[in-house]
Structure formats: structure tokens, C-alpha cells
């Protein structure tokens, strides 16, 4: 079985919501969601980016977001900002759960590619601590150093809402990623400090002007951990060919998002059987980025995924579909894990 290293999952959110059941959820599996230790092992999912995401406390429960995204066109309102004082206790709780997972002996929080390889060789899940939105960081950036000391090695300045650092794209279909201003002055300082600390800067969810600001300011490879091709599915969350060219020129990478809403040509959230939308996006990404700059960014436990994948157990079916599509074993290994480890080496090892 070819091991898979994945660019994004929201598993920690499940533990945040059911902390008393974390042993059952992680070690045994509760039959829900996309991830747990038994299914990761069964599907060859050897590791990936474990996201710390702060739910919006002011989310309007009366809005049925799933129903709206099943009936394009849609333009969902952006949630309001979440302050650092609100976000920090949530982030600390989620990191605590990841550290508990490490204490079970089944997972390692990795700070280098050597540590990722060692964990994979030992049969432990290789986890990268990632922030999906920089809300837990104050504008003075002091807490960035605190989280870095705890293992933070990847950070997206925004989720799809504004922060003190930049502006996230709304969930809109059809739509362009050019939806607002670029990074704030605090955001520019955040990029510079992440570069100095060798923290990967994730461009997924960032609007076009913010993307361009990171490209101009950062000396690191440009990486979008879980995004797709705008030319195939014109969602604000997907990357234009111009953005893909910038990522390729930087030696960066894109992780293919398994979320149906970013894969389907019609922008619907509804699931589907078969592989055609997945293959169309992969073909486009490989054409524009090259074989060395594409991987997977599943969004497991954060989105609806195609029926053919289902959950982590479906990853071997995905790799079989790529082989049937004509991808050779060398390319499949690159997509599965080698490209992620290479871009992390280029980012962390500078």
C-alpha cells in the first residue's frame, strides 16, 4: 500500500466537541466522520496537517448553509471576526487534544521532515500542527512564538472571514477570488515572522490580493494546502491559472481538496459517485503546476467528500483510479506523499 500524507483535516474539531469521548473517537473509532486511527491505518493515511480551526461564535443557526450550497448560485455571508482572546482558549484545547493523541503512542507531532519520516517508519501517524486562520495570534505576534514552541509549523492567515491579518474569500459560486483588500500591516508582519521561523504559510481561503501580498513578501514556496482549480470549478475558494503559475514559479504546491463543492463543475455540495471531477482537477493542476507540485488536501472531517472515497479507507480506491486513468506509479507516489515531504523540506529547511 502506498502511504498517503494529506494537506488538511479537521479531526481535532470532533475532539473539541466531544472531549470526554476522545479515546473512543481516536483509538477505536465511533463510525462517524472520515478519520480515526483504525481507518487511517486501513487506508494507508500515514499523516498530514491537523487543523486548529476556531468556530464562529456568532454563526446564524437559522441559515441552512448546506441547502444553500446545494442550489447554486450562492453567496454566503462572511462570519464576523473572532478576537484573539476568544480564540486562544479554543486553540489551546485543540492543541491539548493533539498532544494527548501523541501521548497515546500512536501519533507524533512533527517539526521536521526527518521526524515525519521517522514517525511513518515506526507506524505512528505523522502530524503537523496547523492553524486554519490566525485568530489565536495577537497583532503583537507574541503568541505566534508560544504556538511555535508548542509545535506550530503551518499557518493560514485566514479562514473564510476577516482577521487582524487579512481577508478570507466568501463561499460564493460562481465567483472570483478577487474579493477584497490585501494583507493588513499586521498581516505583512505575520508573513515576515513566519518566514523567519520557517512556518509554512497556507494560501487556502486567502483572497487574491492577500495571495499576491504573500507572494511578494515571502521567500518561501507558495502553498495552498487544500484548494482546487478555478478553471474547472469557478468557486472563490479555487485557484486561478495565474495563481497556479505563481505557485509553480516559487517551487510551491497545491493539495487537492476532496470537498464536492470545490470539485463539481456545477458548484453543488451534493456528493457524487465515480472519479471524473477528481481527475479533471488533478489533470488541470498537474498541467499547470507540474508533477512535482501537486498532492492531496482532503478536508476530511470538514466537508462532504465523493462517495467513491467515502473516508480514509477509500484512499487506496483513489490511487487505483489514478492508475486506471494512466498515472504511473512514480507520479502516484509523488501525489500521495513525496511532493508534500519535498515542499516541507524546501520550506522548513531553508
Amino acid at each position: 500500500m502506498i502511504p498517503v500524507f494529506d494537506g488538511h483535516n479537521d479531526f481535532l474539531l470532533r475532539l473539541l466537541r466531544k472531549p470526554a469521548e476522545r479515546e473512543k473517537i481516536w483509538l477505536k473509532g465511533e463510525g462517524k466522520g472520515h478519520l480515526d486511527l483504525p481507518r487511517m491505518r486501513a487506508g494507508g493515511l500515514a499523516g498530514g496537517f491537523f487543523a486548529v480551526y476556531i468556530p464562529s461564535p456568532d454563526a446564524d443557526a437559522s441559515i441552512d448553509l448546506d441547502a444553500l450550497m446545494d442550489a447554486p448560485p450562492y453567496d454566503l455571508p462572511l462570519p464576523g471576526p473572532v478576537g484573539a482572546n476568544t480564540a486562544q482558549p479554543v486553540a489551546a484545547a485543540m492543541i491539548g487534544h493533539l498532544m494527548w493523541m501523541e501521548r497515546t503512542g500512536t501519533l507524533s507531532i512533527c517539526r521536521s521532515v526527518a521526524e515525519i519520516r521517522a514517525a511513518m517508519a515506526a507506524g505512528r501517524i505523522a502530524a503537523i500542527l496547523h492553524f486554519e486562520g490566525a485568530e489565536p495570534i495577537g497583532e503583537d505576534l507574541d503568541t505566534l512564538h508560544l504556538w511555535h514552541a508548542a509545535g506550530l509549523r503551518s499557518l493560514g492567515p485566514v479562514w473564510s472571514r476577516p482577521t487582524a491579518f487579512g481577508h478570507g474569500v466568501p463561499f460564493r459560486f460562481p465567483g472570483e477570488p478577487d474579493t477584497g483588500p490585501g494583507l493588513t500591516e499586521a498581516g505583512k508582519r505575520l508573513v515576515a515572522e513566519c518566514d523567519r521561523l520557517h512556518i509554512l504559510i497556507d494560501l487556502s481561503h486567502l483572497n487574491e490580493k492577500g495571495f499576491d501580498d504573500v507572494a511578494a513578501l515571502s521567500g518561501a514556496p507558495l502553498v495552498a494546502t487544500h484548494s482546487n482549480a478555478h478553471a474547472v470549478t469557478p468557486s472563490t475558494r479555487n485557484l486561478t491559472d495565474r495563481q497556479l503559475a505563481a505557485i509553480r514559479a516559487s517551487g510551491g504546491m497545491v493539495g487537492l481538496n476532496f470537498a464536492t463543492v470545490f470539485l463539481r463543475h456545477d458548484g453543488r455540495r451534493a456528493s457524487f459517485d465515480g472519479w471524473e471531477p477528481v481527475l479533471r482537477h488533478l489533470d488541470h493542476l498537474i498541467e499547470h503546476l507540474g508533477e512535482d507540485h501537486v498532492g492531496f488536501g482532503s478536508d476530511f472531517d470538514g466537508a462532504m467528500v465523493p462517495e467513491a472515497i467515502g473516508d480514509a479507507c477509500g484512499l487506496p480506491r483513489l490511487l487505483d483510479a489514478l492508475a486506471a486513468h494512466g498515472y504511473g506509479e512514480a507520479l502516484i507516489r509523488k501525489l500521495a506523499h513525496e511532493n508534500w515531504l519535498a515542499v516541507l523540506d524546501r520550506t522548513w529547511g531553508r
Side-chain angles (χ1 to χ4, degrees), residues 133-167:
E135 285 90 351
I137 299 168
E139 290 187 51
D140 59 13
L141 305 185
D142 286 348
T143 44
L144 174 65
H145 294 265
L146 171 67
W147 304 128
H148 180 264
L152 181 70
R153 291 299 182 271
S154 175
L155 180 152
V158 298
W159 180 69
S160 285
R161 62 187 168 210
T163 70
F165 306 105
H167 301 269

PDB file of all heavy atoms in Angstrom, residues 133-167:
ATOM      1  N   GLY A 133      -6.524  29.731   9.964  1.00  0.00           N
ATOM      2  CA  GLY A 133      -6.913  31.047  10.434  1.00  0.00           C
ATOM      3  C   GLY A 133      -6.056  31.427  11.627  1.00  0.00           C
ATOM      4  O   GLY A 133      -5.826  30.622  12.533  1.00  0.00           O
ATOM      5  N   ALA A 134      -5.575  32.682  11.617  1.00  0.00           N
ATOM      6  CA  ALA A 134      -4.611  33.117  12.631  1.00  0.00           C
ATOM      7  C   ALA A 134      -5.281  33.820  13.804  1.00  0.00           C
ATOM      8  O   ALA A 134      -4.625  34.580  14.530  1.00  0.00           O
ATOM      9  CB  ALA A 134      -3.576  34.046  11.990  1.00  0.00           C
ATOM     10  N   GLU A 135      -6.548  33.559  14.041  1.00  0.00           N
ATOM     11  CA  GLU A 135      -7.255  34.202  15.150  1.00  0.00           C
ATOM     12  C   GLU A 135      -6.597  33.999  16.511  1.00  0.00           C
ATOM     13  O   GLU A 135      -6.651  34.898  17.354  1.00  0.00           O
ATOM     14  CB  GLU A 135      -8.710  33.707  15.203  1.00  0.00           C
ATOM     15  CG  GLU A 135      -9.610  34.278  14.133  1.00  0.00           C
ATOM     16  CD  GLU A 135      -9.625  33.434  12.866  1.00  0.00           C
ATOM     17  OE1 GLU A 135      -8.801  32.508  12.769  1.00  0.00           O
ATOM     18  OE2 GLU A 135     -10.457  33.711  11.982  1.00  0.00           O
ATOM     19  N   PRO A 136      -5.944  32.848  16.789  1.00  0.00           N
ATOM     20  CA  PRO A 136      -5.330  32.681  18.114  1.00  0.00           C
ATOM     21  C   PRO A 136      -4.035  33.473  18.306  1.00  0.00           C
ATOM     22  O   PRO A 136      -3.361  33.305  19.330  1.00  0.00           O
ATOM     23  CB  PRO A 136      -5.052  31.168  18.184  1.00  0.00           C
ATOM     24  CG  PRO A 136      -5.921  30.551  17.153  1.00  0.00           C
ATOM     25  CD  PRO A 136      -5.985  31.558  16.062  1.00  0.00           C
ATOM     26  N   ILE A 137      -3.680  34.325  17.347  1.00  0.00           N
ATOM     27  CA  ILE A 137      -2.437  35.092  17.417  1.00  0.00           C
ATOM     28  C   ILE A 137      -2.786  36.576  17.532  1.00  0.00           C
ATOM     29  O   ILE A 137      -3.557  37.106  16.732  1.00  0.00           O
ATOM     30  CB  ILE A 137      -1.577  34.852  16.162  1.00  0.00           C
ATOM     31  CG1 ILE A 137      -1.198  33.369  16.064  1.00  0.00           C
ATOM     32  CG2 ILE A 137      -0.318  35.726  16.184  1.00  0.00           C
ATOM     33  CD1 ILE A 137      -0.615  32.979  14.734  1.00  0.00           C
ATOM     34  N   GLY A 138      -2.231  37.245  18.531  1.00  0.00           N
ATOM     35  CA  GLY A 138      -2.434  38.679  18.679  1.00  0.00           C
ATOM     36  C   GLY A 138      -1.587  39.458  17.687  1.00  0.00           C
ATOM     37  O   GLY A 138      -0.590  38.961  17.155  1.00  0.00           O
ATOM     38  N   GLU A 139      -1.961  40.707  17.478  1.00  0.00           N
ATOM     39  CA  GLU A 139      -1.256  41.527  16.491  1.00  0.00           C
ATOM     40  C   GLU A 139       0.192  41.783  16.883  1.00  0.00           C
ATOM     41  O   GLU A 139       1.032  42.064  16.012  1.00  0.00           O
ATOM     42  CB  GLU A 139      -1.982  42.854  16.289  1.00  0.00           C
ATOM     43  CG  GLU A 139      -3.321  42.718  15.574  1.00  0.00           C
ATOM     44  CD  GLU A 139      -3.947  44.054  15.233  1.00  0.00           C
ATOM     45  OE1 GLU A 139      -3.247  44.894  14.630  1.00  0.00           O
ATOM     46  OE2 GLU A 139      -5.122  44.265  15.576  1.00  0.00           O
ATOM     47  N   ASP A 140       0.525  41.668  18.180  1.00  0.00           N
ATOM     48  CA  ASP A 140       1.924  41.842  18.576  1.00  0.00           C
ATOM     49  C   ASP A 140       2.774  40.615  18.249  1.00  0.00           C
ATOM     50  O   ASP A 140       4.003  40.653  18.371  1.00  0.00           O
ATOM     51  CB  ASP A 140       2.029  42.173  20.060  1.00  0.00           C
ATOM     52  CG  ASP A 140       1.433  41.095  20.970  1.00  0.00           C
ATOM     53  OD1 ASP A 140       1.150  39.968  20.486  1.00  0.00           O
ATOM     54  OD2 ASP A 140       1.254  41.378  22.172  1.00  0.00           O
ATOM     55  N   LEU A 141       2.127  39.521  17.831  1.00  0.00           N
ATOM     56  CA  LEU A 141       2.777  38.268  17.394  1.00  0.00           C
ATOM     57  C   LEU A 141       3.467  37.501  18.517  1.00  0.00           C
ATOM     58  O   LEU A 141       4.116  36.485  18.254  1.00  0.00           O
ATOM     59  CB  LEU A 141       3.788  38.523  16.250  1.00  0.00           C
ATOM     60  CG  LEU A 141       3.249  39.242  15.005  1.00  0.00           C
ATOM     61  CD1 LEU A 141       4.334  39.299  13.932  1.00  0.00           C
ATOM     62  CD2 LEU A 141       2.002  38.576  14.466  1.00  0.00           C
ATOM     63  N   ASP A 142       3.315  37.946  19.762  1.00  0.00           N
ATOM     64  CA  ASP A 142       3.951  37.212  20.857  1.00  0.00           C
ATOM     65  C   ASP A 142       3.456  35.769  20.924  1.00  0.00           C
ATOM     66  O   ASP A 142       4.254  34.837  21.139  1.00  0.00           O
ATOM     67  CB  ASP A 142       3.667  37.909  22.198  1.00  0.00           C
ATOM     68  CG  ASP A 142       4.473  39.184  22.372  1.00  0.00           C
ATOM     69  OD1 ASP A 142       5.405  39.413  21.572  1.00  0.00           O
ATOM     70  OD2 ASP A 142       4.172  39.945  23.308  1.00  0.00           O
ATOM     71  N   THR A 143       2.140  35.570  20.747  1.00  0.00           N
ATOM     72  CA  THR A 143       1.612  34.204  20.861  1.00  0.00           C
ATOM     73  C   THR A 143       2.001  33.339  19.667  1.00  0.00           C
ATOM     74  O   THR A 143       1.939  32.108  19.763  1.00  0.00           O
ATOM     75  CB  THR A 143       0.082  34.216  21.019  1.00  0.00           C
ATOM     76  OG1 THR A 143      -0.492  35.144  20.084  1.00  0.00           O
ATOM     77  CG2 THR A 143      -0.316  34.601  22.431  1.00  0.00           C
ATOM     78  N   LEU A 144       2.408  33.945  18.557  1.00  0.00           N
ATOM     79  CA  LEU A 144       2.945  33.131  17.457  1.00  0.00           C
ATOM     80  C   LEU A 144       4.128  32.316  17.958  1.00  0.00           C
ATOM     81  O   LEU A 144       4.267  31.126  17.629  1.00  0.00           O
ATOM     82  CB  LEU A 144       3.369  34.027  16.287  1.00  0.00           C
ATOM     83  CG  LEU A 144       4.072  33.315  15.128  1.00  0.00           C
ATOM     84  CD1 LEU A 144       3.133  32.343  14.427  1.00  0.00           C
ATOM     85  CD2 LEU A 144       4.634  34.330  14.125  1.00  0.00           C
ATOM     86  N   HIS A 145       4.973  32.923  18.778  1.00  0.00           N
ATOM     87  CA  HIS A 145       6.146  32.229  19.312  1.00  0.00           C
ATOM     88  C   HIS A 145       5.740  31.175  20.335  1.00  0.00           C
ATOM     89  O   HIS A 145       6.377  30.119  20.430  1.00  0.00           O
ATOM     90  CB  HIS A 145       7.114  33.245  19.906  1.00  0.00           C
ATOM     91  CG  HIS A 145       7.714  34.149  18.878  1.00  0.00           C
ATOM     92  ND1 HIS A 145       8.932  33.908  18.290  1.00  0.00           N
ATOM     93  CD2 HIS A 145       7.246  35.285  18.299  1.00  0.00           C
ATOM     94  CE1 HIS A 145       9.207  34.856  17.403  1.00  0.00           C
ATOM     95  NE2 HIS A 145       8.193  35.710  17.390  1.00  0.00           N
ATOM     96  N   LEU A 146       4.691  31.448  21.093  1.00  0.00           N
ATOM     97  CA  LEU A 146       4.178  30.443  22.022  1.00  0.00           C
ATOM     98  C   LEU A 146       3.686  29.216  21.266  1.00  0.00           C
ATOM     99  O   LEU A 146       4.045  28.076  21.608  1.00  0.00           O
ATOM    100  CB  LEU A 146       3.030  31.047  22.838  1.00  0.00           C
ATOM    101  CG  LEU A 146       2.225  30.090  23.708  1.00  0.00           C
ATOM    102  CD1 LEU A 146       3.090  29.549  24.841  1.00  0.00           C
ATOM    103  CD2 LEU A 146       0.988  30.783  24.264  1.00  0.00           C
ATOM    104  N   TRP A 147       2.865  29.434  20.235  1.00  0.00           N
ATOM    105  CA  TRP A 147       2.341  28.300  19.459  1.00  0.00           C
ATOM    106  C   TRP A 147       3.463  27.588  18.703  1.00  0.00           C
ATOM    107  O   TRP A 147       3.440  26.363  18.565  1.00  0.00           O
ATOM    108  CB  TRP A 147       1.263  28.770  18.481  1.00  0.00           C
ATOM    109  CG  TRP A 147       0.109  29.496  19.102  1.00  0.00           C
ATOM    110  CD1 TRP A 147      -0.390  30.718  18.730  1.00  0.00           C
ATOM    111  CD2 TRP A 147      -0.723  29.066  20.191  1.00  0.00           C
ATOM    112  NE1 TRP A 147      -1.466  31.073  19.508  1.00  0.00           N
ATOM    113  CE2 TRP A 147      -1.693  30.075  20.420  1.00  0.00           C
ATOM    114  CE3 TRP A 147      -0.735  27.928  20.999  1.00  0.00           C
ATOM    115  CZ2 TRP A 147      -2.662  29.975  21.404  1.00  0.00           C
ATOM    116  CZ3 TRP A 147      -1.695  27.829  21.998  1.00  0.00           C
ATOM    117  CH2 TRP A 147      -2.647  28.829  22.199  1.00  0.00           C
ATOM    118  N   HIS A 148       4.432  28.342  18.219  1.00  0.00           N
ATOM    119  CA  HIS A 148       5.578  27.717  17.548  1.00  0.00           C
ATOM    120  C   HIS A 148       6.316  26.786  18.505  1.00  0.00           C
ATOM    121  O   HIS A 148       6.718  25.675  18.135  1.00  0.00           O
ATOM    122  CB  HIS A 148       6.516  28.799  17.007  1.00  0.00           C
ATOM    123  CG  HIS A 148       7.734  28.270  16.306  1.00  0.00           C
ATOM    124  ND1 HIS A 148       8.957  28.121  16.935  1.00  0.00           N
ATOM    125  CD2 HIS A 148       7.918  27.840  15.024  1.00  0.00           C
ATOM    126  CE1 HIS A 148       9.837  27.636  16.083  1.00  0.00           C
ATOM    127  NE2 HIS A 148       9.244  27.455  14.917  1.00  0.00           N
ATOM    128  N   ALA A 149       6.487  27.216  19.742  1.00  0.00           N
ATOM    129  CA  ALA A 149       7.147  26.365  20.734  1.00  0.00           C
ATOM    130  C   ALA A 149       6.336  25.101  21.010  1.00  0.00           C
ATOM    131  O   ALA A 149       6.902  24.058  21.340  1.00  0.00           O
ATOM    132  CB  ALA A 149       7.363  27.150  22.025  1.00  0.00           C
ATOM    133  N   ALA A 150       5.003  25.194  20.836  1.00  0.00           N
ATOM    134  CA  ALA A 150       4.140  24.021  21.032  1.00  0.00           C
ATOM    135  C   ALA A 150       4.137  23.097  19.825  1.00  0.00           C
ATOM    136  O   ALA A 150       3.568  22.004  19.895  1.00  0.00           O
ATOM    137  CB  ALA A 150       2.710  24.475  21.329  1.00  0.00           C
ATOM    138  N   GLY A 151       4.750  23.535  18.721  1.00  0.00           N
ATOM    139  CA  GLY A 151       4.846  22.676  17.539  1.00  0.00           C
ATOM    140  C   GLY A 151       4.233  23.233  16.282  1.00  0.00           C
ATOM    141  O   GLY A 151       4.253  22.562  15.234  1.00  0.00           O
ATOM    142  N   LEU A 152       3.667  24.447  16.304  1.00  0.00           N
ATOM    143  CA  LEU A 152       3.046  25.020  15.116  1.00  0.00           C
ATOM    144  C   LEU A 152       4.072  25.161  13.995  1.00  0.00           C
ATOM    145  O   LEU A 152       5.102  25.815  14.167  1.00  0.00           O
ATOM    146  CB  LEU A 152       2.444  26.386  15.442  1.00  0.00           C
ATOM    147  CG  LEU A 152       1.740  27.101  14.288  1.00  0.00           C
ATOM    148  CD1 LEU A 152       0.441  26.396  13.923  1.00  0.00           C
ATOM    149  CD2 LEU A 152       1.477  28.571  14.639  1.00  0.00           C
ATOM    150  N   ARG A 153       3.764  24.545  12.826  1.00  0.00           N
ATOM    151  CA  ARG A 153       4.672  24.635  11.692  1.00  0.00           C
ATOM    152  C   ARG A 153       3.959  24.983  10.379  1.00  0.00           C
ATOM    153  O   ARG A 153       4.592  25.031   9.335  1.00  0.00           O
ATOM    154  CB  ARG A 153       5.436  23.309  11.511  1.00  0.00           C
ATOM    155  CG  ARG A 153       6.436  23.010  12.618  1.00  0.00           C
ATOM    156  CD  ARG A 153       7.518  24.067  12.723  1.00  0.00           C
ATOM    157  NE  ARG A 153       8.508  23.766  13.756  1.00  0.00           N
ATOM    158  CZ  ARG A 153       8.406  24.132  15.032  1.00  0.00           C
ATOM    159  NH1 ARG A 153       7.343  24.823  15.429  1.00  0.00           N
ATOM    160  NH2 ARG A 153       9.343  23.834  15.901  1.00  0.00           N
ATOM    161  N   SER A 154       2.670  25.264  10.453  1.00  0.00           N
ATOM    162  CA  SER A 154       1.911  25.657   9.261  1.00  0.00           C
ATOM    163  C   SER A 154       0.770  26.562   9.710  1.00  0.00           C
ATOM    164  O   SER A 154       0.115  26.282  10.729  1.00  0.00           O
ATOM    165  CB  SER A 154       1.378  24.420   8.530  1.00  0.00           C
ATOM    166  OG  SER A 154       0.542  24.784   7.447  1.00  0.00           O
ATOM    167  N   LEU A 155       0.528  27.617   8.935  1.00  0.00           N
ATOM    168  CA  LEU A 155      -0.439  28.625   9.370  1.00  0.00           C
ATOM    169  C   LEU A 155      -1.095  29.280   8.161  1.00  0.00           C
ATOM    170  O   LEU A 155      -0.422  29.746   7.244  1.00  0.00           O
ATOM    171  CB  LEU A 155       0.293  29.674  10.214  1.00  0.00           C
ATOM    172  CG  LEU A 155      -0.482  30.854  10.790  1.00  0.00           C
ATOM    173  CD1 LEU A 155       0.194  31.324  12.082  1.00  0.00           C
ATOM    174  CD2 LEU A 155      -0.551  32.021   9.807  1.00  0.00           C
ATOM    175  N   GLY A 156      -2.423  29.317   8.157  1.00  0.00           N
ATOM    176  CA  GLY A 156      -3.167  30.112   7.197  1.00  0.00           C
ATOM    177  C   GLY A 156      -3.571  31.414   7.861  1.00  0.00           C
ATOM    178  O   GLY A 156      -4.209  31.393   8.920  1.00  0.00           O
ATOM    179  N   PRO A 157      -3.239  32.566   7.296  1.00  0.00           N
ATOM    180  CA  PRO A 157      -3.615  33.840   7.938  1.00  0.00           C
ATOM    181  C   PRO A 157      -5.110  33.994   8.151  1.00  0.00           C
ATOM    182  O   PRO A 157      -5.532  34.709   9.070  1.00  0.00           O
ATOM    183  CB  PRO A 157      -3.082  34.893   6.958  1.00  0.00           C
ATOM    184  CG  PRO A 157      -1.984  34.210   6.199  1.00  0.00           C
ATOM    185  CD  PRO A 157      -2.436  32.776   6.080  1.00  0.00           C
ATOM    186  N   VAL A 158      -5.907  33.329   7.306  1.00  0.00           N
ATOM    187  CA  VAL A 158      -7.361  33.479   7.393  1.00  0.00           C
ATOM    188  C   VAL A 158      -8.055  32.150   7.130  1.00  0.00           C
ATOM    189  O   VAL A 158      -7.520  31.276   6.457  1.00  0.00           O
ATOM    190  CB  VAL A 158      -7.902  34.510   6.364  1.00  0.00           C
ATOM    191  CG1 VAL A 158      -7.333  35.889   6.626  1.00  0.00           C
ATOM    192  CG2 VAL A 158      -7.605  34.069   4.933  1.00  0.00           C
ATOM    193  N   TRP A 159      -9.236  31.997   7.684  1.00  0.00           N
ATOM    194  CA  TRP A 159     -10.270  31.124   7.158  1.00  0.00           C
ATOM    195  C   TRP A 159     -11.177  32.046   6.355  1.00  0.00           C
ATOM    196  O   TRP A 159     -10.798  33.188   6.076  1.00  0.00           O
ATOM    197  CB  TRP A 159     -10.990  30.411   8.315  1.00  0.00           C
ATOM    198  CG  TRP A 159     -12.090  29.483   7.861  1.00  0.00           C
ATOM    199  CD1 TRP A 159     -11.941  28.303   7.196  1.00  0.00           C
ATOM    200  CD2 TRP A 159     -13.502  29.676   8.026  1.00  0.00           C
ATOM    201  NE1 TRP A 159     -13.168  27.740   6.929  1.00  0.00           N
ATOM    202  CE2 TRP A 159     -14.149  28.575   7.437  1.00  0.00           C
ATOM    203  CE3 TRP A 159     -14.279  30.678   8.607  1.00  0.00           C
ATOM    204  CZ2 TRP A 159     -15.536  28.433   7.406  1.00  0.00           C
ATOM    205  CZ3 TRP A 159     -15.653  30.549   8.592  1.00  0.00           C
ATOM    206  CH2 TRP A 159     -16.268  29.434   7.995  1.00  0.00           C
ATOM    207  N   SER A 160     -12.359  31.592   5.963  1.00  0.00           N
ATOM    208  CA  SER A 160     -13.234  32.444   5.143  1.00  0.00           C
ATOM    209  C   SER A 160     -13.988  33.458   6.004  1.00  0.00           C
ATOM    210  O   SER A 160     -15.215  33.419   6.149  1.00  0.00           O
ATOM    211  CB  SER A 160     -14.207  31.571   4.339  1.00  0.00           C
ATOM    212  OG  SER A 160     -13.526  30.958   3.261  1.00  0.00           O
ATOM    213  N   ARG A 161     -13.199  34.358   6.597  1.00  0.00           N
ATOM    214  CA  ARG A 161     -13.720  35.511   7.334  1.00  0.00           C
ATOM    215  C   ARG A 161     -12.530  36.452   7.537  1.00  0.00           C
ATOM    216  O   ARG A 161     -11.372  36.048   7.402  1.00  0.00           O
ATOM    217  CB  ARG A 161     -14.323  35.088   8.672  1.00  0.00           C
ATOM    218  CG  ARG A 161     -13.350  34.457   9.628  1.00  0.00           C
ATOM    219  CD  ARG A 161     -14.017  33.905  10.875  1.00  0.00           C
ATOM    220  NE  ARG A 161     -13.067  33.068  11.592  1.00  0.00           N
ATOM    221  CZ  ARG A 161     -13.400  32.019  12.346  1.00  0.00           C
ATOM    222  NH1 ARG A 161     -14.667  31.683  12.495  1.00  0.00           N
ATOM    223  NH2 ARG A 161     -12.474  31.304  12.957  1.00  0.00           N
ATOM    224  N   PRO A 162     -12.793  37.704   7.881  1.00  0.00           N
ATOM    225  CA  PRO A 162     -11.674  38.627   8.112  1.00  0.00           C
ATOM    226  C   PRO A 162     -10.971  38.334   9.432  1.00  0.00           C
ATOM    227  O   PRO A 162     -11.578  37.837  10.390  1.00  0.00           O
ATOM    228  CB  PRO A 162     -12.370  39.995   8.149  1.00  0.00           C
ATOM    229  CG  PRO A 162     -13.784  39.707   8.548  1.00  0.00           C
ATOM    230  CD  PRO A 162     -14.107  38.357   7.978  1.00  0.00           C
ATOM    231  N   THR A 163      -9.676  38.607   9.456  1.00  0.00           N
ATOM    232  CA  THR A 163      -8.902  38.557  10.695  1.00  0.00           C
ATOM    233  C   THR A 163      -8.111  39.855  10.821  1.00  0.00           C
ATOM    234  O   THR A 163      -8.179  40.732   9.945  1.00  0.00           O
ATOM    235  CB  THR A 163      -7.918  37.369  10.712  1.00  0.00           C
ATOM    236  OG1 THR A 163      -6.864  37.627   9.756  1.00  0.00           O
ATOM    237  CG2 THR A 163      -8.598  36.060  10.365  1.00  0.00           C
ATOM    238  N   ALA A 164      -7.351  39.961  11.872  1.00  0.00           N
ATOM    239  CA  ALA A 164      -6.475  41.127  12.030  1.00  0.00           C
ATOM    240  C   ALA A 164      -5.389  41.164  10.968  1.00  0.00           C
ATOM    241  O   ALA A 164      -4.708  42.182  10.802  1.00  0.00           O
ATOM    242  CB  ALA A 164      -5.848  41.100  13.422  1.00  0.00           C
ATOM    243  N   PHE A 165      -5.240  40.068  10.214  1.00  0.00           N
ATOM    244  CA  PHE A 165      -4.111  39.932   9.302  1.00  0.00           C
ATOM    245  C   PHE A 165      -4.496  39.982   7.819  1.00  0.00           C
ATOM    246  O   PHE A 165      -3.636  40.218   6.971  1.00  0.00           O
ATOM    247  CB  PHE A 165      -3.389  38.620   9.605  1.00  0.00           C
ATOM    248  CG  PHE A 165      -2.996  38.495  11.039  1.00  0.00           C
ATOM    249  CD1 PHE A 165      -3.697  37.662  11.905  1.00  0.00           C
ATOM    250  CD2 PHE A 165      -1.939  39.235  11.549  1.00  0.00           C
ATOM    251  CE1 PHE A 165      -3.337  37.556  13.238  1.00  0.00           C
ATOM    252  CE2 PHE A 165      -1.571  39.137  12.881  1.00  0.00           C
ATOM    253  CZ  PHE A 165      -2.279  38.300  13.736  1.00  0.00           C
ATOM    254  N   GLY A 166      -5.752  39.690   7.498  1.00  0.00           N
ATOM    255  CA  GLY A 166      -6.143  39.657   6.092  1.00  0.00           C
ATOM    256  C   GLY A 166      -7.610  39.335   5.936  1.00  0.00           C
ATOM    257  O   GLY A 166      -8.387  39.401   6.903  1.00  0.00           O
ATOM    258  N   HIS A 167      -7.967  38.964   4.715  1.00  0.00           N
ATOM    259  CA  HIS A 167      -9.369  38.790   4.364  1.00  0.00           C
ATOM    260  C   HIS A 167      -9.561  37.461   3.648  1.00  0.00           C
ATOM    261  O   HIS A 167      -8.893  37.174   2.646  1.00  0.00           O
ATOM    262  CB  HIS A 167      -9.835  39.950   3.474  1.00  0.00           C
ATOM    263  CG  HIS A 167      -9.667  41.278   4.126  1.00  0.00           C
ATOM    264  ND1 HIS A 167     -10.652  41.871   4.877  1.00  0.00           N
ATOM    265  CD2 HIS A 167      -8.591  42.118   4.182  1.00  0.00           C
ATOM    266  CE1 HIS A 167     -10.205  43.024   5.352  1.00  0.00           C
ATOM    267  NE2 HIS A 167      -8.963  43.193   4.942  1.00  0.00           N
TER     268      HIS A 167
END
